[in-house]
Amino acid sequence: MSEISTSQTVPTALEPSVEHSGPTATPTTTEADAPQPGPTPTLPEHTLNPEPTPVPHTPNSIEVALQDVEPQNPLTEKFTEAEWKALKEFRSNLSETFKEAFPEQENAGSMPYNMWGITIDPLAPDEDARVSVVLMKFLRARNINAQEAKDMLISTLRWRKSFNVEEAMKEQFPEDVFGKLGKIYGKDNDGCPIAYNLYGANKDLHAVFDDVQRFLRWRVAFMEESIALLDFETIDQMVQIHDYEGVGMSSRTPASKNAASEASSIFQGHYPEFLAKKFFVNVPSFLTWIFWIFKPLLSSATVAKMSVVGSGPKAIGPALLPLIPADQLPKRYGGDADGF
């Protein structure tokens, strides 16, 4: 069909008919009575400017990459390619992991679980970058092996339930027994909080260790209190300083040995990759062998973060000050802060 010009007049039924009498055309009605021409019909717009046929869009590689983007934070941005690959495999099995951890719970595979202040949703673990940071701890503790990390997470979830960590955190422990044994004070150069374990702060060892399970509940609660200071966005580790000032030969009782062994097992098995650095300070010469006793129980990565330091501010300061600002380190350890 040839294109219709919009300047042409298109006859309609409302136009007057015209009779011819000779060479001159005379209208059959007067000009006043003659019906007026109707409006020129409007042609469909697509007839004048036809739309092109849509062509299916194929996403390019950049668009595909953007579709695969998930929430990030400064900690996840440091993950290696191998770590991301293992993490995605680990997360894809999270629903089954929760089912295995809580077989008695019918909806375990779909129910979110809160651990260390982070809600882990097994059906949507990639919606919060902090969840990736938590899961990466288990992967790193197991050499980036997704299956072994899964086994460790299952063990940890079961332990937290049987130990009843939430109740331990709410428990009121005797201030005169445990009040001086643990302190959280200051931050290192990277912003990691510093937790102090003061083993000689209470001379009544019977009160501290006679009830080993109570000591362990206190120790776990103190650890959880320290972890509460981590945001899992910029900081996910802490510095620990174990101070043995005041500890004597009589301190190594069967109960204290049992408590130390169980505590070490708990933290090694259920609190992965929380340690930035650990210092043993004011350690009596006759107790330095303790480090070597526990060394075989610890991973090589953990041992690499541990240092046995001397006694007194002049010996401790040079070891700690490169890591901790002077205004964040108590004077008793060679810093400028008043401390605790």
Side-chain angles (χ1 to χ4, degrees):
M1 179 184 295
S2 61
E3 183 176 352
I4 300 175
S5 171
T6 56
S7 64
Q8 292 179 302
T9 302
V10 181
T12 71
L14 296 178
E15 290 188 17
S17 60
V18 179
E19 295 180 357
H20 294 274
S21 175
T24 305
T26 304
T28 58
T29 60
T30 65
E31 183 175 348
D33 297 331
Q36 298 302 309
T40 301
T42 301
L43 297 179
E45 185 176 348
H46 71 271
T47 304
L48 302 177
N49 298 293
E51 292 288 338
T53 304
V55 177
H57 174 66
T58 302
N60 58 37
S61 59
I62 295 178
E63 291 172 319
V64 171
L66 289 175
Q67 293 172 2
D68 195 38
V69 168
E70 60 180 87
Q72 299 281 346
N73 64 32
L75 292 176
T76 60
E77 289 172 355
K78 297 178 182 178
F79 293 176
T80 66
E81 184 177 346
E83 287 177 334
W84 273 116
K85 181 179 180 181
L87 176 63
K88 291 179 179 180
E89 178 185 349
F90 190 15
R91 291 189 314 203
S92 68
N93 295 319
L94 208 54
S95 181
E96 288 300 319
T97 300
F98 277 33
K99 289 179 182 179
E100 290 185 43
F102 309 113
E104 72 289 348
Q105 188 174 325
E106 183 177 352
N107 57 351
S110 60
M111 287 295 293
Y113 183 87
N114 187 284
M115 182 164 62
W116 303 320
I118 307 300
T119 300
I120 304 174
D121 186 344
L123 299 182
D126 58 346
E127 294 184 356
D128 186 345
R130 298 174 303 167
V131 172
S132 296
V133 174
V134 169
L135 296 179
M136 184 56 68
K137 289 182 173 295
F138 290 88
L139 281 166
R140 287 174 174 168
R142 291 297 180 263
N143 298 314
I144 318 300
N145 184 302
Q147 181 57 52
E148 292 183 10
K150 174 184 176 181
D151 294 339
M152 185 182 189
L153 178 57
I154 290 174
S155 175
T156 294
L157 293 173
R158 290 175 177 172
W159 170 81
R160 291 181 70 85
K161 182 176 182 179
S162 64
F163 191 89
N164 205 341
V165 173
E166 299 300 324
E167 287 302 313
M169 293 172 64
K170 298 175 184 177
E171 188 171 343
Q172 296 296 316
F173 298 98
E175 182 68 19
D176 60 331
V177 177
F178 298 102
K180 297 180 180 180
L181 295 183
K183 300 290 183 180
I184 302 173
Y185 185 91
K187 296 180 179 180
D188 75 354
N189 293 328
D190 295 323
C192 298
I194 307 171
Y196 292 82
N197 291 273
L198 311 166
Y199 293 105
N202 188 345
K203 305 300 181 183
D204 188 352
L205 300 179
H206 176 77
V208 174
F209 296 111
D210 188 53
D211 186 340
V212 172
Q213 291 307 308
R214 184 180 68 168
F215 169 81
L216 292 174
R217 290 196 305 274
W218 169 81
R219 187 64 186 85
V220 165
F222 181 60
M223 183 67 170
E224 294 282 334
E225 181 185 350
S226 303
I227 293 175
L229 299 176
L230 310 177
D231 60 13
F232 295 95
E233 294 181 351
T234 58
I235 302 296
D236 69 333
Q237 292 184 320
M238 69 186 74
V239 175
Q240 293 181 349
I241 296 178
H242 292 240
D243 188 346
Y244 286 83
E245 183 178 6
V247 175
M249 289 287 291
S250 60
S251 301
R252 295 291 294 168
T253 65
S256 69
K257 293 177 183 179
N258 186 21
S261 178
E262 288 197 42
S264 178
S265 177
I266 287 173
F267 297 131
Q268 183 75 4
H270 306 307
Y271 289 88
E273 296 296 311
F274 277 103
L275 186 63
K277 188 70 176 177
K278 178 183 287 188
F279 294 96
F280 296 89
V281 304
N282 295 319
V283 181
S285 57
F286 66 88
L287 286 178
T288 54
W289 55 270
I290 294 177
F291 174 80
W292 302 108
I293 288 180
F294 285 103
K295 185 177 179 180
L297 303 177
L298 306 174
S299 67
S300 58
T302 299
V303 172
K305 298 176 181 179
M306 300 167 65
S307 299
V308 179
V309 183
S311 299
K314 292 184 179 180
I316 300 172
L320 272 58
L321 286 172
L323 180 71
I324 304 171
D327 62 355
Q328 298 291 302
L329 185 66
K331 295 176 181 178
R332 64 194 289 184
Y333 301 113
D336 296 335
D338 291 333
F340 42 83

